[in-house]
Amino acid sequence: MVSGKRLPVSVATDPELGGRWTSLTAGGREWLWHRDEPRRAHVRPGESFADAGGLEECVPTVRGQPDHGDAWSRRWRRVGDVDLVDCPDFRLTRRIRDDAGRVVADYTLTAEPGYRFVWAAHALLDLSPAARIDVAGPAVTRLYPDEGDRWVAGAWPTVDGVPLDRIGPDDGSAVGAVVLTPQVSVHDGPDSLHLSVEAGGQPVSVAVWRNLGGFPQDAPYRSVGVEPMLGRVFDRATGDDGDTAVVPATGEVTWRLTVAATRRT
């Protein structure tokens, strides 16, 4: 899915605020969407999610408890070229580096063997209504038509009559989906962003969150998430066998997120 002229990608993160990715740029374009959320700077572990955009590290769950996980609301530490955060049940480390213009982030989660978790690179992207999401298909897709845990199975790109590959203008809808694929591309005008996740022996997927002014009900706004994941459910508590990552006897799970960008000429 990577085509066009390769553009070098650069990243900025904020260890003080949950290890959040605050910038993801390529060829002069900022890919991350942002929103003014005063709560974000003062949030404490266990509080409800404060959506300021960017890319949040959501682990050990996305939905469920703690809301959007336990790592995004904690201060991370920088040790050499590694960022790390200690949570009650696990330690997460992340090393971000440049690889010939691509961004490569290597992760390690350390916990008791048997520990089950979900991780998502919760990337909210600044996209036009004409943007589209490209997944090599047909890929098994789980559509979440509401904010609950119920999902409908289908094949990418259209599930239960909902075309998930098109962004479109605001229409008051909000849907989430989990696509059982390790890689995804997002095309917007001449620019494309390519994301992939690798994790030996663990389930991987890509979550899509398309909020076109339908969420939250009391003060809706527009946000679009394209989120590489470990696991294939939003809430680790609802997953069947094989739906979450599981820490093996070694006590460690490792995985890699790769981000590349191209521009059509």
Side-chain angles (χ1 to χ4, degrees), residues 143 157-165 175 210:
L143 173 70
T158 301
V159 180
D160 203 28
V162 179
L164 295 166
D165 58 334
V175 296
R210 193 179 66 191

Side-chain angles (χ1 to χ4, degrees), residues 150-161:
R150 179 177 65 92
W151 49 267
V152 178
W156 181 268
T158 301
V159 180
D160 203 28

